């Protein structure tokens, strides 16, 4: 079970980083609404990964 928890944290980080980088690319194109939405969801995934890692330790 511990192995799948680590994989879940890695998946959350990967999705979060992808969404944040996608938001930067969308911002360059010029659509701020979608970029902010993508950036916000990416930050939520990164926060989820951080909290999973925090509680995985204990």
């Amino acid at each position: 079970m511990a192995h799948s928890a680590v994989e879940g944290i890695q998946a959350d980080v990967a999705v979060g980083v992808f969404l944040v980088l996608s938001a930067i690319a969308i911002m360059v194109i010029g659509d701020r609404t979608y970029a902010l939405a993508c950036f916000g969801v990416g930050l939520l995934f990164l926060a989820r990964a951080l909290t999973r890692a925090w509680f995985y330790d204990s």
Side-chain angles (χ1 to χ4, degrees), residues 1-57:
M1 176 146 169
H3 187 63
S4 66
V6 172
E7 288 176 349
I9 293 169
Q10 290 173 342
D12 284 345
V13 169
V15 170
V17 168
F18 174 76
L19 287 172
V20 168
L21 292 177
S22 296
I24 293 170
I26 294 169
M27 186 73 78
V28 169
I29 293 171
D31 195 350
R32 289 184 189 266
T33 304
Y34 288 125
L36 289 175
C38 197
F39 188 74
V41 173
L43 288 182
L44 285 175
F45 269 96
L46 291 174
R48 179 180 170 189
L50 183 65
T51 55
R52 286 175 112 183
W54 181 277
F55 290 114
Y56 175 73
D57 235 2

